[in-house]
Amino acid sequence: MQMIAIGGAIGVGLFLGAGGKLAQAGPSLVFAYAICGVAAFFVMRALGELVLHRPTAGSFVEYAREFIGPWAGFTSGWMYWVNWAMTGIAEITAVAIYVHRWFPDLPQWVSALVALAFLVGVNLLSVKLFGELEFWFSVVKVTAIVVFLVTGIGLVLTSANIGGHEAGVHNITEHGGFFPAGIGVALMTLQAVVFAYSAIEVVGIAAGETQNPREVLPRAINGVVYRIAVFYVGSVLLLTMLLPWNVYTGGESPFVTVFSALGIGGVGDVMNAVVLTAALSSCNSGLYSTGRILRALADKGEAPAFTGRMSARHVPHGGILFTSAAYLAGVVLNYLVPKEAFDIAIAVASLGVVATWATLIVCQMRLRQAALRGELVRPAYRMPGAPYTGWATLGFLVLVVVLMAFAGPAERIAFWSIPVLAVVLAIGWRVVRARRPQDVRTG
């Protein structure tokens, strides 16, 4: 559980996305990761309180239905699916970008298609196989991050020469300062950083399928919170000290950039293999999560019936195949407009992340209110500082969405897709309500 939790949170947002954002905002990206990390902490604690109140494989969809209303369960479930559908497109595109380093003549869509076929096969076989594969994916990623942190600290302390640049704290301040592009640009990176933190909620979904969630989950959540602080904030801080921020680019993992610049043969390729593993892992988590979420929706008649079908191995193969179809569309986009598809997919996916996080916070607030009315007993494991921290987190999430309207083209496309998503979800809910009015009295 702990490896799934931290492994799910380490994906293409950090291993690939950090390079482009460092080139855009410079060292101030550390600030963005830190403030988003605080928000992620409160979201995880809210999730922990909800899961210990009532463990369920449906996770926040069931909590939204219980504490807000049937319409909220429908909306949050489908927004979560949008998140992972778009994330999957970004992940398989990232796989293609990484493979391109070794096979420059191989079409990117071929690499993406092979990766997708492999992961679909794994998820369709068994839950146990998913857990084993995700465990080892996570071991590789976490080990690589630890090696990077130890190596990076050593390089900084010894002022090592990396590709003609001296490593050290001076790299944070000598190239335009901590905010070389201004505070505004730093704030514009919040959306991408929120996306980088996505998938931390997978631990809550997986908790519904563990034997002792009340014992396992608090340890998993507490562990993932401080590990995120070290791995994310620590890694980005080290990246800013190892090389000047303007050396990084959006077309290559910043970790690959650093290790390639060391001039040691093969090290850059090893790191490239690691970040490729990270992309496969995140896509693997997406197929697992959406399969369970779609089954929860199908059980309520809020998704196509076939998405709720279970195989003999207790795998929701209908939901997995439904999500795979969206990933396959991503392969086509990767063939037509790979760079544009990647950027837009990440931006739209972040809307799903924001929706999921906001849902968890609101549900925790409703749970607390119900406890104050004497309707239920709050678990001993609680969200600290409630309800004030909940309101502050919601305000932060609103800010992230508003800032997207003033960021780059991809973010603006995602922002203006919000009304489209709202209309589609509203129509979908009307169809569901008309079909089953007796089950949605409060909707």
Side-chain angles (χ1 to χ4, degrees), residues 36 40 251 434:
C36 288

Side-chain angles (χ1 to χ4, degrees), residues 131-334:
E132 289 290 338
L133 185 62
E134 191 60 22
F135 173 81
W136 289 111
F137 273 163
S138 298
V139 167
V140 170
K141 290 188 291 186
V142 172
T143 301
I145 289 289
V146 171
V147 169
F148 169 76
L149 290 172
V150 173
T151 304
I153 291 173
L155 293 171
V156 170
L157 291 178
T158 57
S159 301
N161 184 291
I162 305 177
H165 302 279
E166 181 183 323
V169 179
H170 63 276
N171 283 322
I172 298 178
T173 58
E174 288 186 358
H175 304 277
F178 191 75
F179 292 91
I183 296 178
V185 173
L187 292 175
M188 296 300 175
T189 65
L190 291 176
Q191 166 268 323
V193 177
V194 165
F195 168 79
Y197 279 117
S198 67
I200 58 175
E201 74 289 334
V202 171
V203 65
I205 297 173
E209 300 187 40
T210 58
Q211 292 184 349
N212 302 300
R214 287 183 169 82
E215 178 183 343
V216 172
L217 189 69
R219 291 203 306 268
I221 287 181
N222 290 338
V224 76
V225 167
Y226 74 76
R227 288 188 181 99
I228 281 177
V230 173
F231 294 156
Y232 271 91
V233 180
S235 294
V236 175
L237 180 60
L238 264 180
L239 287 170
T240 62
M241 291 190 287
L242 290 169
L243 289 171
W245 61 271
N246 49 19
V247 172
Y248 299 106
T249 69
E252 181 181 57
S253 168
F255 298 90
V256 174
T257 300
V258 170
F259 279 98
S260 296
L262 288 174
I264 303 175
V267 175
D269 289 325
V270 170
M271 182 53 66
N272 196 60
V274 169
V275 296
L276 188 151
T277 300
L280 290 172
S281 171
S282 184
C283 196
N284 192 39
S285 295
L287 285 171
Y288 174 88
S289 303
T290 52
R292 274 68 187 170
I293 293 298
L294 285 172
R295 180 169 183 264
L297 289 170
D299 286 345
K300 299 291 184 180
E302 297 172 0
F306 76 89
T307 63
R309 294 174 184 168
M310 297 286 284
S311 69
R313 295 185 176 91
H314 304 287
V315 172
H317 63 280
I320 291 173
L321 291 174
F322 186 84
T323 302
S324 301
Y327 288 7
L328 191 59
V331 173
V332 176
L333 286 177
N334 191 57

